[in-house]
Amino acid sequence: MTTQDQKEGQDQKEGISRRRLLSTAGAGMATIALASGVTLISRAQATPRVRGVGVPASSKIRWGFLVNTNSDPSDWDTCVAACKKENGWANTGHPNTDPQWIRKVSLKDKRTGAATSLPMMCQHCEFPPCVDVCPTGASMRRADGIVLVDRHRCIGCRYCMMACPYGARSFVHHDLHNQRPSMPRGKGTVESCTLCVHRIDTGKNPACVDALQAKGSKAIIFGDLNDPNSEISREVARYLTTRIRDDLALEPGVLYRGL
Amino acid sequence: MKNMIVFKELDANGLDYLALLGWLLVFIVAGLGSSWYMEHNGHIVTGMTNQIVWGMPHVFAVFMIIAASGALNIASISSVFQRKMYKPLARISAILAIALLAGGLMVLVLDLGRPDRLIVAMTKYNFKSIFAWNIYLYSGFFVVVLVYLWMMMERRMNRYARAAGIFAFVWRLALTTGTGSIFGFLVARQAYDPAIMAPMFITMSFSFGLAIFILLLLFTYKATNRPLGDRILFMLKNLLGVFAAAVLYFIVVRHLSNLYATHRHGVEAFILLNGGVYTALFWIGAVLMGCVLPIALLFHPATGKSCSAIMLSCWLVILGGLAQIYVIIIGGQAYPLDIFPGYQVSSSFFDGVVHPYAPSLPEILLGLSGMATAVFIVAIAMRYLPILPMSLSDAAVDPSHDKSK
C-alpha cells in the first residue's frame, strides 16, 4: 500500500496525462482493495481469535503477555481478583497450601533501594521445565504456547513444582467447592495460570487483561507475539523488555517492561 | 563337598517370629491408614505446602530406593567380582534389595496426589522425564533381580548366574543414577542440579544398603542361633567403613565445588552455617553420624572388633543417611527460589523467605510403614525360601580356612 502511494506521488511529479493518471489510480485502488482483502484473510488465518471445536491450536500463534511494571501497583491486585473470580480459586485461610495462580510480587533492589512490584504467574515458556520433567505428559505445551496441566492425567507427583523456576504452580491440598464450569480443577493435582485458555479460544482476552481494561489500565497487553502487526509485537519491538530468569533460556511468553 | 554352603528356610514357627510379623503389620496398617487419611482429606493434613512439595515420605522413599540398590552390592561382589566369600550372602542380598525397593516405592506411590492413577503412570510416558525412566528402571529392577535370584537358586541355571549378576549390577548403577538425577536435572533450584548428584547417590547407596544388610545379618543370626563368624562380619564392616568414607568424600567435593560458584554462596551458607535445623542435621546427622563416627568406630582397633560397635555404626550410617536425604530434599526446597537475583523479594506466596516445614505424624507413619514392609517381605522370604545359609562361621565361608585344617 505504501509503495503504491509512493508510485502515485512520483507519477504526479512527472506530469503524466489525466487519462493515464485515472487508469493508474483505478488500478491502484483495485490493488489496494485486493491487497487489504488478502491481508485481512491472511491475518484471520494467522490469528484465528475463535478456535473451532476440534480444531487444533496453531503453532503460527504465540500467545503472550507484556507486563508494564511501571503501572499502578494496585493493577496487580485487580489481576489477582479477576483471576480468582474467573477460575474459582480462593484464599481459604491456609496461606501455605492455598493455590495462587497469579500473585503480586514486591521487589526492592538491594543495591539501590529502588522498588517496584509485578504480577507473577506461569510464564508459558517455549521450553518449559515442568513439561520436561512430567512423567506422564500431563504437563503440556499447546502449539500456541499455552502451558497447561491435563487434570485427568496428572498423578500429583509435584515434580513440575520442583522444576518450575518461577514458583508458578500450586498443588490442590484440599477439597474443592464452587468450581467454575469453564475451569474444572482437581484435588491432588497441580494447577497454574492457563492464560484463560477457555476465554482465548472463544475470542476473548484473559480475565486479568479485561479487568485491567475495564478500569482503563493497559498494564498488561495480551496478544500474538508471532503477529508483527499485533499491539504486543509493536510494543515489544519499541521498548526493551525482560524475560525473568532469562539465563535459563526458557523463552517465556510473558515479558516485562520497566524491570 | 565339605565346605558347601547349606541354605535353609527359617524354622520360625515360634511366638517371637509371629510377634515380629505382628508388629510389622501394625506399622504397615498404620502407614496404609495414614495414606488413606492423607488422600481423603488432601495433603493439607501433612506438613507439606506449595513451597515444600516433597516431604517426609520422599525422604524415606528415596532412602529406601537407593539403599535397595546398595543392598544388592553383596550379591554383585560375589557374582561380578568373583569373591567367593560373599557367595553365601548373595541370595539374601537380592531379597533385601527387592524388599527395600518395594517398601520405598510403596511410600512414593501412596504419597502421590492421585495414587489411584498409578495405571496412568504405568501407561503414559514422557521420555524426556527422568521420572518416566525411573518407572522403567524400578520395575525392571524387580524383574532383573528376581531372574538373578532364580539363576542363583536353581542349580541348573547356576552357570548363568554370573551373567545375570553383571546385568543386575549395571542395572542397579543405572537405577541409582536415575534417582540421583531427579535432583540433578532441576535447573530451577539453587540447591540442586549439579551432575555430581548421580555418583554421590551411588556411593550413598553402597553405604546405606550395606548398613541395613549387616544389621539384618546380625539380628537374624542372633535370633535364629545360627553361627556368624568374625571373618565375614569384619570383612563387611571394613567395606562399610570404606563406603562411609566415600560418602564423606562426595559430600566434601559437592559443597566445595558449590562454594566455588558465587551464585551458590547463599544456599551453601544456608546449609552449612545458618540454616537452623538443616545445618544441624547436616553437620551432626550427615557428616558426624553418617560418616565420621562410623569410620572411627569401624576402623579403631578396639571398637572395630566389637559386635555392638559394628551394630551401632550401622545404625549411625542409617540415621545419618536419613539426615542427609532430609537435608538434600527438604533443605533444598526450604531455601527460597532465586527468581530475581539481586532483589529483595516478598509476596503472599512466601517468595524470598525460608519456607518452614514440620513433618506430620501421618507422613512419618507412612515412611515407617515402607521400612516395615521391606522387613516384612524379608521375614516372609526367609521363612519360605532357602536364602539364608545355615552357618556363616569362619570355616563355612572361607575355603582357605577349611583347607588349612
Side-chain angles (χ1 to χ4, degrees):
Chain A
M1 190 171 143
T2 314
T3 315
Q4 192 63 41
D5 289 341
Q6 284 170 348
K7 193 169 178 251
E8 281 179 24
Q10 278 171 358
D11 284 349
Q12 280 172 339
K13 278 179 196 167
E14 286 164 7
I16 55 169
S17 70
R18 182 185 171 86
R19 174 176 287 199
R20 192 172 170 196
L21 176 67
L22 282 173
S23 64
T24 309
M29 293 293 281
T31 310
I32 291 164
L34 191 65
S36 28
V38 170
T39 309
L40 277 175
I41 290 166
S42 64
R43 282 188 71 179
Q45 282 170 345
T47 56
R49 284 297 310 220
V50 180
R51 194 167 68 89
V53 176
V55 178
S58 167
S59 59
K60 289 177 183 161
I61 301 170
R62 172 71 165 114
W63 295 121
F65 274 165
L66 173 60
V67 178
N68 187 347
T69 60
N70 293 321
S71 308
D72 182 348
S74 72
D75 282 353
W76 317 135
D77 300 321
T78 304
C79 293
V80 173
C83 185
K84 281 180 178 174
K85 191 177 168 196
E86 178 69 26
N87 296 306
W89 58 274
N91 299 344
T92 65
H94 303 93
N96 282 311
T97 49
D98 282 340
Q100 293 199 29
W101 291 20
I102 180 171
R103 64 190 190 270
K104 178 179 173 179
V105 176
S106 301
L107 301 177
K108 188 176 170 189
D109 192 315
K110 284 177 192 167
R111 290 150 293 197
T112 64
T116 189
S117 65
L118 49 79
M120 175 53 69
M121 71 297 272
C122 173
Q123 302 288 292
H124 298 281
C125 305
E126 186 85 27
F127 308 104
C130 56
V131 173
D132 289 346
V133 302
C134 177
T136 63
S139 280
M140 56 173 175
R141 182 185 174 278
R142 230 170 65 151
D144 55 7
I146 303 177
V147 175
L148 297 168
V149 180
D150 181 341
R151 309 293 206 289
H152 298 287
R153 202 186 259 209
C154 177
I155 57 173
C157 74
R158 286 104 75 198
Y159 197 15
C160 57
M161 296 175 75
M162 292 289 280
C164 176
Y166 307 103
R169 294 197 153 192
S170 298
F171 180 68
V172 182
H173 285 75
H174 42 65
D175 284 322
L176 295 166
H177 306 285
N178 302 321
Q179 293 202 47
R180 304 290 183 268
S182 56
M183 190 51 67
R185 303 165 61 208
K187 183 171 83 168
T189 63
V190 174
E191 56 186 23
S192 60
C193 159
T194 65
L195 218 62
C196 281
V197 65
H198 58 291
R199 293 171 62 93
I200 292 176
D201 283 349
T202 52
K204 296 181 194 162
N205 286 328
C208 54
V209 176
D210 268 359
L212 288 172
Q213 286 180 358
K215 68 181 262 195
S217 167
K218 293 189 77 175
I220 298 181
I221 297 171
F222 164 74
D224 179 8
L225 288 162
N226 279 354
D227 176 3
N229 296 310
S230 66
E231 186 184 7
I232 188 169
S233 292
R234 290 199 306 269
E235 292 285 306
V236 166
R238 190 173 302 147
Y239 302 104
L240 278 177
T241 51
T242 306
R243 293 172 174 85
I244 295 172
R245 288 303 311 263
D246 210 11
D247 56 316
L248 297 174
L250 306 174
E251 294 296 325
V254 180
L255 293 92
Y256 291 81
R257 187 184 146 197
L259 258 191
Chain B
M1 298 297 284
K2 237 171 109 185
N3 60 356
M4 195 173 171
I5 296 293
V6 179
F7 291 93
K8 198 170 185 312
E9 299 89 340
L10 287 189
D11 183 21
N13 292 316
L15 268 180
D16 288 349
Y17 179 75
L18 292 176
L20 172 72
L21 291 188
W23 273 110
L24 292 171
L25 274 176
V26 168
F27 274 97
I28 294 169
V29 170
L32 293 175
S34 299
S35 171
W36 178 85
Y37 175 68
M38 282 158 58
E39 301 309 329
H40 185 73
N41 293 287
H43 274 58
I44 195 165
V45 296
T46 70
M48 287 176 264
T49 64
N50 275 325
Q51 283 72 38
I52 307 280
V53 301
W54 287 352
M56 205 59 179
H58 283 79
V59 175
F60 277 99
V62 170
F63 177 84
M64 275 185 280
I65 289 168
I66 61 176
S69 52
L72 190 68
N73 255 21
I74 302 302
S76 301
I77 295 171
S78 80
S79 297
V80 180
F81 302 106
Q82 297 280 293
R83 297 290 302 271
K84 291 203 167 22
M85 276 179 70
Y86 287 84
K87 205 166 180 187
L89 305 174
R91 295 181 183 184
I92 184 69
S93 150
I95 287 289
L96 180 61
I98 289 173
L100 282 169
L101 186 66
L105 289 183
M106 181 188 107
V107 177
L108 204 61
V109 167
L110 290 178
D111 181 57
L112 290 175
R114 295 296 303 261
D116 54 311
R117 289 185 182 162
L118 186 61
I119 191 70
V120 175
M122 304 297 279
T123 51
K124 311 276 185 196
Y125 292 105
N126 164 29
F127 285 107
K128 203 173 177 187
S129 167
I130 190 70
F131 251 24
W133 281 94
N134 280 344
I135 292 167
Y136 273 92
L137 288 168
Y138 295 159
S139 43
F141 187 80
F142 286 119
V143 178
V144 169
V145 177
L146 279 172
V147 168
Y148 177 34
L149 195 62
W150 176 47
M151 303 286 169
M152 287 192 288
M153 292 178 69
E154 171 58 56
R155 198 174 298 249
R156 287 168 301 172
M157 306 302 285
N158 279 172
R159 58 198 160 129
Y160 303 115
R162 183 159 188 236
I166 291 171
F167 191 72
F169 181 64
V170 174
W171 196 280
R172 64 123 308 186
L173 289 179
L175 185 149
T176 330
T177 302
T179 311
S181 299
I182 290 172
F183 304 95
F185 287 178
L186 291 174
V187 293
R189 292 178 185 264
Q190 298 291 304
Y192 304 133
D193 97 350
I196 200 172
M197 283 295 195
M200 191 172 93
F201 269 55
I202 291 176
T203 319
M204 281 153 61
S205 78
F206 290 167
S207 182
F208 306 165
L210 185 56
I212 296 173
F213 184 83
I214 295 175
L215 272 185
L216 178 72
L217 272 193
L218 286 170
F219 176 80
T220 313
Y221 276 74
K222 194 175 178 211
T224 57
N225 289 321
R226 294 187 185 193
L228 176 65
D230 283 349
R231 283 187 75 86
I232 202 146
L233 183 62
F234 291 169
M235 204 166 58
L236 292 173
K237 72 98 184 169
N238 283 338
L239 202 55
L240 182 63
V242 172
F243 289 161
V247 171
L248 185 60
Y249 164 79
F250 271 98
I251 291 175
V252 171
V253 170
R254 179 184 169 216
H255 288 286
L256 275 183
S257 56
N258 275 356
L259 283 168
Y260 192 78
T262 310
H263 69 280
R264 291 195 197 275
H265 282 182
V267 70
E268 283 301 316
F270 177 69
I271 299 294
L272 303 180
L273 291 175
N274 53 30
V277 65
Y278 304 106
T279 303
L281 280 173
F282 176 79
W283 288 111
I284 299 170
V287 175
L288 195 64
M289 288 169 65
C291 301
V292 176
L293 279 178
I295 294 168
L297 284 171
L298 293 168
F299 288 127
H300 192 278
T303 51
K305 291 192 169 123
S306 148
C307 191
S308 49
I310 294 172
M311 195 181 270
L312 174 65
S313 301
C314 292
W315 279 113
L316 285 171
V317 166
I318 291 169
L319 292 174
L322 281 166
Q324 191 179 357
I325 304 278
Y326 191 94
V327 172
I328 290 174
I329 295 183
I330 315 283
Q333 296 172 84
Y335 187 74
L337 279 172
D338 199 8
I339 309 176
F340 300 95
Y343 288 89
Q344 193 179 313
V345 189
S346 63
S347 79
S348 58
F349 208 55
F350 307 101
D351 285 289
V353 295
V354 170
H355 309 304
Y357 171 73
S360 64
L361 184 63
E363 288 173 82
I364 296 168
L365 285 177
L366 177 59
L368 289 175
S369 77
M371 296 266 200
T373 303
V375 180
F376 190 86
I377 292 170
V378 172
I380 295 290
M382 282 177 172
R383 172 70 184 81
Y384 294 102
L385 293 173
I387 53 173
L388 208 62
M390 282 300 286
S391 170
L392 285 173
S393 66
D394 293 349
V397 297
D398 187 357
S400 61
H401 186 100
D402 196 50
K403 270 181 208 162
S404 67
K405 272 192 171 178

